Amino acid sequence: MTDEPRHFLEIDDVSTDELGAILDRADEYKRAQHNGEAHEDLDGQTLGMIFQKPSTRTRVSFETGMTQLGGHAVFLGEDDIQLGRGEPLKDTSRTLSRYVDAVMARVFKHENAEVLAEYATVPVVNGLTDDAHPCQTLADLQTIRELEGGFDGVSAAWVGDGNNVAQSFAVGCALTDIDLTVATPEGYGIDDAVVERARELGGNLAVTNDPVEAATDADVIYTDVWISMGQEDERDVRMQAFEGFQVNSELLSYAPDASVMHCLPAHRGEEVTDAVVESDQSVVFDQAENRLHAQKALLSWLLE
């Protein structure tokens, strides 16, 4: 392991070419797994997984992925390690670096992931923070590439909350030249700094408060929950603010050939209807599966 490991805290921590290489490897791993072929490229290596936030897809996909790669994953809940008893993050990071080959952290504050990376001597992967979810974007881009045969000429719409998933997706679209329109209620958009970053990367990013404008003739329509973990006390205000932003059959009438994406878990009947999730246009479970393959590709790329 080098003294200066590569970390993956934001989707643009990799270049466009590096992103393409990771997605190519994800496709290879997907084919291998579906064909029952061994691909133990991380034989004997260990991933430490820090969780401040609960998860289904993140934990299972990383843990299963390490097993399929011939390695091992260790679940480290906040209350299971000294972090929950007040140990500084920098001490946790330096200690774990002596034990494991990489660290994945699913935490609240983005700066916590940055501190872990600053003091680690092994790669640190952002499994989700309040600001970004780059591993989800890897899976999203793999899914879009499978659906569209590439990224050229693809248009996408984000409809709903400008949350961490939206922010990483916006930058990911910029890296791959996907035209993206983000439709959010006023006051719930993605951060101005993220918009600027995406545009500096050459992304064709538009923002609006009109979901119909965003969705019309889109190839992909993406949504996520309106009330994320830690926002439960805002429920009544948010439900009122997001009225009219549901992804439903009426909205899909403006993009009848669009694929519908959602990072899950979905609050059916809120940001998306049950009928849409269960429709032929839904690719939400392809996205969920691709978390496994994309993350395996990322880990093996980081640990080469």
Side-chain angles (χ1 to χ4, degrees):
M1 183 63 62
T2 65
D3 290 335
E4 296 183 359
R6 284 290 296 269
H7 303 300
F8 187 71
L9 306 186
E10 302 268 11
I11 187 65
D12 51 340
D13 283 344
V14 297
S15 68
T16 296
D17 288 343
E18 290 170 333
L19 176 60
I22 292 168
L23 294 178
D24 287 344
R25 188 174 299 193
D27 290 342
E28 293 171 6
Y29 282 145
K30 187 171 185 175
R31 285 191 294 270
Q33 195 225 336
H34 285 194
N35 292 332
E37 299 168 357
H39 44 284
E40 297 184 350
D41 295 343
L42 296 183
D43 184 29
Q45 300 200 53
T46 300
L47 174 69
M49 306 189 301
I50 298 174
F51 281 86
Q52 287 184 326
K53 287 187 173 185
S55 171
T56 300
R57 279 149 290 275
T58 298
R59 177 176 180 178
V60 176
S61 58
F62 270 108
E63 194 162 335
T64 300
M66 282 300 293
T67 299
Q68 292 179 354
L69 289 169
H72 178 63
V74 180
F75 176 82
L76 303 168
E78 184 177 38
D79 293 332
D80 299 323
I81 57 177
Q82 295 302 319
L83 189 63
R85 299 178 181 88
E87 181 176 51
L89 275 168
K90 61 184 180 180
D91 291 359
T92 298
S93 181
R94 287 183 287 202
T95 301
L96 287 178
S97 295
R98 305 295 182 100
Y99 299 146
V100 302
D101 300 283
V103 173
M104 185 281 296
R106 183 178 172 91
V107 296
F108 285 95
K109 295 180 180 179
H110 191 76
E111 51 263 39
N112 286 348
E114 293 174 332
V115 170
L116 286 167
E118 179 182 357
Y119 289 93
T121 56
V122 299
V124 174
V125 173
N126 176 4
L128 177 142
T129 67
D130 287 343
D131 292 345
H133 199 351
C135 289
Q136 180 64 53
T137 300
L138 284 180
D140 298 338
L141 294 174
Q142 183 183 7
T143 305
I144 291 171
R145 199 169 71 159
E146 289 173 343
L147 292 167
E148 302 293 335
F151 299 120
D152 290 346
V154 175
S155 64
W158 177 277
V159 177
D161 189 20
N163 61 12
N164 49 2
V165 178
Q167 296 192 151
S168 289
F169 186 66
V171 178
C173 285
L175 285 171
T176 52
D177 291 328
I178 295 173
D179 293 339
L180 175 64
T181 302
V182 175
T184 66
E186 189 169 351
Y188 293 92
I190 61 178
D191 289 347
D192 291 342
V194 174
V195 174
E196 182 178 352
R197 197 162 102 232
R199 288 174 175 166
E200 286 177 350
L201 288 167
N204 185 11
L205 172 61
V207 295
T208 181
N209 303 127
D210 184 352
V212 172
E213 178 186 345
T216 298
D217 297 328
D219 298 306
V220 172
I221 297 176
Y222 198 160
T223 191
D224 191 12
V225 295
W226 295 339
I227 304 153
S228 298
M229 282 181 282
Q231 298 174 337
E232 289 80 8
D233 59 344
E234 303 174 29
R235 178 176 180 81
D236 292 343
V237 173
R238 283 178 166 267
M239 289 298 291
Q240 183 175 355
F242 285 92
E243 187 175 352
F245 281 80
Q246 185 183 72
V247 176
N248 52 32
S249 58
E250 180 181 355
L251 187 66
L252 292 186
S253 70
Y254 295 94
D257 298 321
S259 299
V260 176
M261 300 179 71
H262 194 303
C263 62
L264 301 178
H267 294 171
R268 301 186 188 212
E270 292 184 8
E271 76 278 358
V272 65
T273 62
D274 183 81
V276 167
V277 175
E278 297 295 342
S279 72
D280 291 339
Q281 289 179 257
S282 171
V283 295
V284 302
F285 298 108
D286 295 321
Q287 283 176 270
E289 178 187 344
N290 284 341
R291 288 287 303 276
L292 171 67
H293 311 302
Q295 290 162 185
K296 286 195 297 186
L298 173 66
L299 289 169
S300 66
W301 182 81
L302 289 171
L303 289 169
E304 278 184 329

